Structure formats: structure tokens, C-alpha cells
Amino acid sequence: QVQLVESGGGLVQAGGSLRLSCAASGSIFSINAMGWYRQAPGKQRELVAAITSGGSTNYADSVKGRFTISRDNAKNTVFLQMNSLKAEDTAVYYCNAGVRDRSFLRAYRDYWGQGTQVTVSL
């Protein structure tokens, strides 16, 4: 089994910064893409940023230039540096990863973290 654990969320003033971390652990053989999603109250979950195993990145238009996704493959960890935060960034942020389990090598499977709350105040 594999689990993802997010950390780094909290309350921050508009214009401030937060750094989210997500560490994968368990019977990991390899990790393909990793990403961050968010869901605000009453809204659909949306992709914020993603990063491939080779380091290629994609961002939602709403966060381009403000957020940066990165990963530490040796630590099975993905980060999301969030700068110039806005009230509309308030949401629960979820980590996602495609993982090949050592006990199930035939395919990558999606895993999700429990979510971490980010609240941006005026």
C-alpha cells in the first residue's frame, strides 16, 4: 500500500506565501506524475499544477506566475510554492501521484492525499 500525506497548509494574508509538501510512502517501486488539485466550497475539484517524472510542469492559468511545483525524487516528495496568494486561492489542496507499487508492477495507480486547508484572508 501507498499513502500520500500533505502538510504546510494554513491561514495566510492576501499577498503572502505558503509552501505545501506531499510525501509518498509505502511499497513504492516508482512514481510517475505528481500534482496538486484544489476544491473550494461549492466548486468542482480542479488541477492546480502537475509535474512529470522528467520535470515537465503544467499550471492552471489562474496560478501561472504565482505558484511553482517541484519534486524531490529521492524523497518521493512534491512541493507547491504559492506566492502572491489571493482570496480565490482558498480551498482544500489535495496531492495526487501515479505510483507503481512493488507488489503490483503491471501498472501505475492513482493515489490521493487527505487534503490540507489553505485559507487566504484579506
Side-chain angles (χ1 to χ4, degrees), residues 29-114:
F29 180 79
S30 62
I31 301 177
N32 193 10
M34 305 184 80
W36 290 94
Y37 291 72
R38 68 186 181 188
Q39 187 166 26
K43 295 186 177 180
Q44 194 171 7
R45 186 175 299 187
E46 64 174 348
L47 176 68
V48 177
I51 184 167
T52 69
S53 60
S56 297
T57 59
N58 288 298
Y59 297 93
D61 288 341
S62 60
V63 307
K64 286 181 179 178
R66 300 188 297 120
F67 291 9
T68 302
I69 189 170
S70 61
R71 63 192 288 171
D72 185 336
N73 291 333
K75 297 181 179 179
N76 294 324
T77 301
V78 63
F79 306 94
L80 186 67
Q81 179 66 46
M82 304 186 293
N83 298 326
S84 302
L85 282 161
K86 305 174 180 179
E88 51 263 44
D89 295 319
T90 296
V92 177
Y93 284 70
Y94 297 91
C95 178
N96 171 260
V99 180
R100 185 174 291 179
D101 194 312
R102 288 189 300 222
S103 65
F104 189 79
L105 299 175
R106 289 176 288 177
Y108 288 97
R109 296 189 288 188
D110 279 343
Y111 290 86
W112 291 88
Q114 81 286 352

